């Protein structure tokens, strides 16, 4: 009788433990998802800003059609890549970052444009959006690291295996272009 | 980062338990003194009363503490369009820290640079900065300061320091009432203790007095120690979020150089600022300061050469103070190495003048701003009766935009 009770208690404890670990994994996975959607929001905002920026700059930068076209193209590539997987999207977005960086370098040669009130406020929005993208990415990678560590380590890995929790992908800057390109500086 | 928050919660929990015990002991001491005939009942009643006082104070500060503090500081809420840069920076740090909701942003009209955060929950928080801060700091520095405040919110410091502050307050009020009451009652009815007061009652009296004197000191020491540790942790959090410790370091330099005695007299508010305005001149750490000395904080931040993680902060701290560090092992459990980014602000960043920052306040208050070609800026109140305004410097006459005219003035201008 007593051994029966002990057995039931032990099973109950194990069950609670397993449920706790499972819930922990779910919570972490949701945090990863949430962090990813943050990146998406910021990338979308960046896509929305660029047409305005190009439109404002057009009037001042008549001789820089290549730069403007490059940034427009990079934007449309990035828009197309939305939802096509982490690696793909990261690549398109870092190309866009590179194009924006080059554009900002060129802007230095146009003092009139730099004095334009509309452009100034767009510039602040763009700087901030660039920051937000990288902070969101930073946060996403932090979350992925925590989640992946949990999925890999004993004893949660058993639960993760049983319920098919897969490691999440890091948002990495594959393209060396962004590293080479000067940072967006104002 | 999550480990840091959890370990912080654990520590804070025990701190509050300890403080509540001191409060209960004080209640017991007072009760047993007042009910001389029946000390056991006295202890019970005393503890009960102390807890009721505590709970009422907690209820008030949790339901409207943030509003009271912001009002005391004279803070005015702003939206994105009032001050895009400030609002954007707060949003950036909200994202970097993974807060669930955007904190509200406030500006305080004061030329002394400082900032604080309030909020009992991460999804009901607010950040307030002074106009002096906005006009003096560049983007990176402002980001460092905001990140420090956001770190306070995400570490739940704003919550626990409210809790701890209220407990200290309850202890001080009770002890104060007791000692004063005893002083006056001993003047008026000294006869009571004459005949039936035995040895026991004398002992109880002495113990009560000692507890009443020690309790406020003890809770305040606990509070201060905890507050200092949290400032270090928030500095470390700021470096971690921004990946740029130098931003906060140079911001702290500017803030500490520009403090003024007259900034605030509020003892509740003062410890919440990024640099305590009542103790800005203090050079060394002591038991009674709420913040580590600013020099020390700057030195640690400047010492972070290897990276911007919590671990790097701990290493820099050890490099200066030696010993076992300040953040503790459990906080650093899941901290990983991360690099330092390069400075973002370039030297050409438009210098913000105090005037530009004031304009933000005016805009937030609903004034219209009209800039004359000679450079003079005119403030137009809402619902003005004048459809034209003359520049006081060059005499050019400007039309007032429609949205600032009163109904009567609009009718007049249409008649013409």
């Amino acid at each position: 009788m007593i051994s029966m009770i002990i057995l039931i208690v032990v099973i109950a404890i194990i069950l609670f433990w397993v449920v706790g670990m499972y819930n922990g994994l779910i919570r972490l996975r949701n945090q990863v998802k949430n962090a990813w959607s943050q990146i998406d929001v910021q990338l979308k905002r960046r896509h929305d800003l660029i047409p305005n920026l190009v439109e404002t700059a057009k009037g001042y930068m008549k001789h820089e059609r290549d730069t403007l076209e490059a940034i427009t193209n990079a934007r449309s590539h990035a828009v197309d890549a939305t939802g096509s997987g982490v690696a793909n999207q990261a690549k398109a977005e870092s190309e866009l970052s590179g194009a924006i960086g080059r554009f900002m370098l060129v802007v230095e040669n146009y003092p009139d444009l730099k004095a334009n009130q509309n452009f100034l406020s767009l510039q602040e929005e763009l700087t901030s959006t660039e920051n937000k993208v990288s902070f969101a990415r930073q946060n996403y990678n932090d979350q992925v690291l925590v989640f992946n560590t949990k999925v890999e380590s004993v004893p949660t890995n058993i639960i993760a295996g049983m319920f098919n929790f897969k490691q999440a992908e890091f948002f990495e800057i594959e393209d060396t272009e962004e590293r080479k390109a000067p940072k967006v500086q104002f | 980062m999550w480990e840091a928050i959890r370990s912080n919660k654990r520590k804070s929990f025990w701190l509050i338990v300890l403080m509540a015990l001191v409060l209960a002991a004080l209640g017991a001491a007072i009760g047993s003194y007042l009910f001389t005939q029946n000390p056991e009942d006295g202890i019970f009643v005393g503890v009960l009363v102390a807890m009721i006082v505590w709970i009422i104070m907690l209820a008030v500060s949790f339901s409207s503490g943030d509003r009271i503090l912001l009002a005391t500081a004279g803070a005015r809420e702003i939206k994105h369009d009032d001050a895009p840069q400030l609002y954007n920076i707060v949003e950036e740090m909200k994202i970097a820290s993974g807060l669930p909701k955007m904190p509200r942003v406030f500006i305080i009209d004061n030329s002394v640079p400082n900032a604080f955060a309030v909020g009992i929950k991460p999804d009901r928080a607010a950040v307030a900065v002074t106009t002096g801060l906005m006009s003096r700091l560049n983007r990176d520095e402002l980001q460092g300061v905001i990140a420090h405040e956001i770190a306070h919110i995400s570490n739940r410091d704003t919550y626990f320091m409210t809790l701890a502050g209220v407990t200290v307050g309850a202890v001080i009020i009770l002890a104060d009432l007791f000692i004063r009451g005893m002083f006056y009652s001993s003047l008026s009815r000294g006869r009571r203790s004459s005949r039936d007061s035995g040895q026991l009652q004398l002992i109880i009296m002495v113990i009560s007095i000692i507890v009443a004197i020690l309790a406020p000191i003890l809770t305040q020491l606990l509070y201060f120690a905890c507050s200092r540790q949290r400032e270090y942790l928030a500095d470390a959090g700021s470096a971690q979020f921004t990946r740029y410790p130098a931003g906060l370091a140079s911001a702290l330099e500017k803030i500490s150089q520009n403090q003024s005695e007259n900034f605030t007299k509020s003892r509740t508010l003062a410890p919440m600022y990024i640099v305590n305005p009542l103790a800005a001149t203090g050079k060394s750490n002591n038991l009674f300061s709420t913040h580590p000395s600013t020099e020390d904080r700057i030195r640690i931040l400047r010492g972070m050469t290897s990276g911007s993680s919590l671990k790097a902060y701990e290493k820099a701290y050890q490099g200066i103070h030696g010993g076992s560090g300040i953040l503790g092992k459990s906080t650093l459990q899941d901290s990983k190495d991360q690099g330092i980014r390069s400075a973002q602000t370039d030297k050409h960043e438009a210098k913000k003048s105090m005037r530009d920052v004031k304009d933000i306040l005016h805009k937030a208050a609903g004034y219209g701003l009209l800039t004359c070609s000679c450079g003079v800026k005119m403030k137009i109140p809402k619902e003005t009766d004048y459809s034209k305004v003359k520049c006081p410097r060059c005499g050019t006459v400007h039309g007032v935009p429609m949205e600032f005219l009163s109904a009567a003035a609009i009718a007049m201008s249409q008649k013409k």
Side-chain angles (χ1 to χ4, degrees):
Chain A
M1 187 60 201
I2 287 177
S3 60
M4 201 50 185
I5 292 175
I6 290 176
L7 192 71
I8 289 175
V9 168
V10 167
I11 288 177
I13 287 174
I14 291 177
L15 214 65
F16 271 112
W17 196 43
V18 167
V19 168
M21 278 197 289
Y22 178 79
N23 284 345
L25 280 170
I26 294 278
R27 186 176 55 88
L28 288 176
R29 193 170 64 180
N30 284 341
Q31 275 171 0
V32 169
K33 268 187 201 156
N34 187 29
W36 177 253
S37 70
Q38 276 296 326
I39 302 184
D40 257 358
V41 170
Q42 298 311 328
L43 290 177
K44 173 101 200 334
R45 187 188 273 173
R46 180 160 81 163
H47 298 162
D48 293 345
L49 275 174
I50 286 167
N52 277 334
L53 188 79
V54 171
E55 203 52 48
T56 312
K58 235 183 211 163
Y60 295 87
M61 303 168 77
K62 296 218 168 57
H63 309 291
E64 307 281 355
R65 272 183 58 189
D66 292 349
T67 321
L68 291 178
E69 249 167 43
I71 195 169
T72 311
N73 286 340
R75 174 189 176 267
S76 58
H77 284 157
V79 172
D80 290 342
T82 310
S84 65
V86 175
N88 243 341
Q89 211 174 331
K91 186 160 174 282
E93 291 300 340
S94 58
E95 265 165 32
L96 178 56
S97 295
I100 293 173
R102 282 188 295 276
F103 170 77
M104 284 302 167
L105 272 189
V106 176
V107 167
E108 291 296 316
N109 305 331
Y110 294 83
D112 286 355
L113 177 58
K114 281 181 75 183
N116 180 316
Q117 204 60 43
N118 195 15
F119 182 76
L120 279 177
S121 69
L122 275 172
Q123 202 179 30
E124 162 58 28
E125 289 312 308
L126 194 66
T127 321
S128 179
T129 311
E130 289 283 312
N131 286 347
K132 283 169 192 161
V133 169
S134 71
F135 285 128
R137 191 166 60 197
Q138 185 177 304
N139 185 41
Y140 171 79
N141 284 340
D142 285 352
Q143 304 287 0
V144 169
L145 184 83
V146 175
F147 176 69
N148 286 355
T149 318
K150 262 278 178 318
V151 168
E152 270 176 8
S153 51
V154 186
T156 20
N157 61 346
I158 305 167
I159 311 291
M162 268 162 65
F163 294 99
N164 204 20
F165 283 93
K166 290 212 177 65
Q167 295 212 356
E169 239 178 303
F170 285 100
F171 193 122
E172 257 154 344
I173 312 164
E174 297 285 346
D175 204 331
T176 47
E177 188 71 6
E178 192 186 19
R179 288 191 187 135
K180 259 189 283 170
K183 278 198 77 99
V184 186
Q185 287 185 343
F186 304 116
Chain B
M1 189 167 78
W2 301 103
E3 236 356 278
I5 293 173
R6 212 173 304 157
S7 114
N8 211 18
K9 270 186 181 167
R10 257 194 316 266
K11 281 183 208 156
S12 315
F13 174 76
W14 289 113
L15 172 86
I16 300 297
V17 168
L18 211 61
M19 282 184 159
L21 283 180
V22 174
L23 180 67
L26 179 68
I30 296 175
S32 63
Y33 176 80
L34 293 179
F35 289 68
T36 7
Q37 266 64 36
N38 199 347
E40 272 119 69
D41 284 358
I43 289 178
F44 179 73
V45 173
V47 171
L48 197 70
V49 169
M51 289 298 134
I52 289 173
V53 168
W54 189 44
I55 286 167
I56 291 174
M57 286 176 73
L58 277 183
V60 171
S61 63
F62 276 7
S63 63
S64 49
D66 47 354
R67 239 175 307 148
I68 296 171
L69 286 168
L70 287 165
T72 313
R76 175 179 280 140
E77 180 163 12
I78 56 133
K79 293 282 162 231
H80 175 273
D81 290 345
D82 299 327
Q85 193 188 55
L86 176 68
Y87 196 89
N88 278 336
I89 289 175
V90 176
E91 200 175 348
E92 286 163 23
M93 289 303 106
K94 174 236 161 200
I95 292 169
S97 64
L99 279 188
K101 208 177 146 210
M102 176 74 182
R104 295 193 295 157
V105 186
F106 287 78
I107 294 186
I108 302 161
D109 187 8
N110 196 315
S111 60
V112 176
N114 226 328
F116 72 92
V118 291
I120 52 162
K121 281 189 286 185
D123 55 2
R124 194 188 128 189
V127 183
V129 304
T130 63
T131 42
L133 188 85
M134 289 181 68
S135 64
R136 285 197 180 84
L137 303 191
N138 64 30
R139 203 176 201 289
D140 275 337
E141 292 161 344
L142 198 55
Q143 198 180 50
V145 171
I146 298 291
H148 172 98
E149 298 307 333
I150 297 276
H152 272 316
I153 296 170
S154 87
N155 293 337
R156 313 294 192 274
D157 292 350
T158 45
Y159 168 76
F160 283 112
M161 292 325 269
T162 308
L163 204 60
V166 167
T167 318
V168 171
V171 168
I172 290 177
I173 286 175
L174 282 180
D176 205 42
L177 278 178
F178 175 60
I179 290 175
R180 270 164 211 254
M182 212 171 55
F183 179 70
Y184 290 120
S185 72
S186 71
L187 288 181
S188 62
R189 23 161 220 174
R191 58 193 158 76
R192 202 181 112 200
S193 56
S194 55
R195 201 170 53 87
D196 56 339
S197 70
Q199 199 89 34
L200 182 73
Q201 283 181 8
L202 197 69
I203 293 174
I204 288 177
M205 197 179 91
V206 171
I207 291 178
S208 312
I209 295 171
I210 292 175
V211 170
I213 292 170
L214 285 185
I217 299 173
L218 193 66
T219 42
Q220 283 187 74
L221 283 182
L222 278 174
Y223 177 83
F224 293 149
C226 178
S227 169
R228 282 194 303 273
Q229 206 256 352
R230 270 148 207 281
E231 290 304 320
Y232 283 123
L233 183 58
D235 282 355
S238 168
Q240 186 201 14
F241 293 152
T242 58
R243 306 278 202 260
Y244 189 63
L248 180 61
S250 83
L252 285 175
E253 276 160 10
K254 287 189 184 171
I255 294 171
S256 61
Q257 279 159 16
N258 290 293
Q259 283 308 302
S260 146
E261 297 262 308
N262 306 322
F263 179 55
T264 178
K265 290 270 176 281
S266 165
R267 296 203 159 270
T268 328
L269 207 54
M272 303 182 65
Y273 281 101
I274 185 165
V275 169
N276 188 333
L278 296 180
T281 45
K283 286 220 186 306
S284 60
N285 284 331
N286 69 50
L287 284 176
F288 287 95
S289 45
T290 56
H291 287 51
S293 80
T294 314
E295 276 174 23
D296 186 41
R297 291 165 68 187
I298 294 168
R299 227 173 325 139
I300 296 170
L301 287 165
R302 293 263 186 235
M304 293 174 73
T305 43
S306 60
S308 58
S309 64
L310 298 183
K311 255 186 207 154
Y313 188 86
E314 185 84 332
K315 228 173 96 189
Y317 181 91
Q318 283 165 339
I320 289 163
H321 294 276
S324 57
I326 182 78
L327 304 178
K329 273 219 177 62
S330 58
T331 305
L332 299 173
Q333 228 170 67
D334 62 2
S335 167
K336 63 173 173 16
D337 292 334
Q338 53 205 11
I340 297 178
R341 69 168 168 82
S342 49
Q344 194 169 40
T345 352
D346 76 352
K347 290 161 203 83
H348 309 300
E349 187 181 76
K351 256 224 138 43
K352 285 172 285 184
S353 68
M354 197 61 197
R355 252 161 214 259
D356 295 334
V357 183
K358 288 257 183 188
D359 288 349
I360 295 169
L361 281 172
H362 295 143
K363 263 193 260 168
Y367 286 110
L369 290 173
L370 213 61
T371 316
C372 179
S373 50
C374 71
V376 170
K377 228 179 256 174
M378 284 164 284
K379 203 168 79 175
I380 316 269
K382 248 184 196 159
E383 302 277 306
T384 177
D385 287 331
Y386 302 98
S387 59
K388 295 225 154 47
V389 57
K390 197 169 153 194
C391 169
R393 190 201 277 169
C394 63
T396 319
V397 176
H398 300 269
V400 174
M402 277 298 226
E403 62 261 34
F404 292 105
L405 289 180
S406 65
I410 291 175
M412 282 278 282
S413 66
Q414 274 164 353
K415 227 185 276 168
K416 276 181 208 164

